[in-house]
Amino acid sequence: MRALALVCTLNASPARSSSHHIAEQVMAGFARHDVQEIVRVADHDVRPGIGVDMGDGDAWPTLREKVLAADILLVATPIWLGHPSSVCQRVLERLNAESSETDDQGRPHTYGKVAAVAVVGNEDGAHKVSADVFQGLNDVGFSLAPGAVTYWVGEAMHGTDYQDLDETPEAVASTTEALAANAVHLARLLADRPYPAS
């Protein structure tokens, strides 16, 4: 089993990122079972559009190969103005191209792949953000296990970041553990019993 995290922070490396931090925690849950990789999307020139390849210099084709090689995709995003980050939206737009890319049996290449979401922020909106990302991922063919999101939101208009907490709150830690276990379980089931051809 292979797991890939696309971290949709607005900050390129090496800047610190709460989205990257929570992605690392989720991936640690996968580590007992999976080959894993964390990619910070802002480190790559992912062009706008809904194509598989948007031309010279577009980094999405390389990231797409990683997505298609993975059994589990984690999308980690901060909340900005009550929405997923613009980087996350761009990832969803680029994944939209998969709707027209199919295998030899007519299934999108993302069928049989499991997705999960991690959300952080200093404002309310984790449920809305995860719902937006869930819908986009499901629209392009990803499956969602029960409890496919983990999140932390700090006190509204407060300056504390998730990465700066002294310890992970128990509710977040247990939710993260359940997300990892359920995603791996579903990915194994789908690997053994693929969706039927269209």
Side-chain angles (χ1 to χ4, degrees):
M1 304 299 292
R2 300 180 68 87
L4 171 69
L6 293 180
V7 177
C8 297
T9 177
L10 300 180
N11 299 315
S13 300
R16 295 177 71 232
S17 163
S18 288
S19 297
H20 197 107
H21 182 62
I22 199 168
E24 289 174 329
Q25 292 178 328
V26 174
M27 295 303 266
F30 293 147
R32 294 184 295 271
H33 313 286
D34 297 289
V35 176
Q36 58 178 335
E37 182 177 2
I38 299 175
V39 174
R40 195 179 291 201
V41 179
D43 292 345
H44 304 274
D45 184 11
V46 176
R47 304 281 169 82
I50 56 169
V52 170
D53 188 338
M54 299 305 294
D56 187 37
D58 183 21
W60 182 253
T62 301
L63 296 182
R64 177 180 182 263
E65 287 179 16
K66 294 175 185 291
V67 169
L68 295 181
D71 301 290
I72 302 169
L73 174 66
L74 173 71
V75 176
T77 183
I79 300 169
W80 286 112
L81 302 172
H83 299 279
S85 73
S86 57
V87 174
C88 182
Q89 183 62 35
R90 180 158 298 176
V91 165
L92 292 174
E93 290 164 355
R94 294 307 299 270
L95 285 171
N96 190 51
E98 298 307 320
S99 300
S100 60
E101 300 291 322
T102 59
D103 65 16
D104 57 3
Q105 296 183 24
R107 296 173 296 206
H109 296 294
T110 51
Y111 271 36
K113 297 185 182 300
V114 173
V117 178
V119 181
V120 292
N122 289 317
E123 57 183 280
D124 196 8
H127 284 181
K128 188 243 187 241
V129 167
S130 60
D132 288 351
V133 180
F134 282 165
Q135 187 63 54
L137 291 168
N138 190 250
D139 281 351
V140 298
F142 288 91
S143 296
L144 305 168
V149 66
T150 188
Y151 66 88
W152 177 85
V153 288
E155 181 182 348
M157 297 181 283
H158 197 268
T160 302
D161 283 341
Y162 182 68
Q163 62 190 342
D164 295 327
L165 297 178
D166 292 333
E167 61 183 348
T168 302
E170 175 54 34
V172 177
S174 62
T175 300
T176 299
E177 185 176 323
L179 179 158
N182 291 347
V184 168
H185 179 73
L186 180 57
R188 287 188 172 146
L189 290 174
L190 289 173
D192 289 341
R193 305 268 321 244
Y195 288 114
S198 298

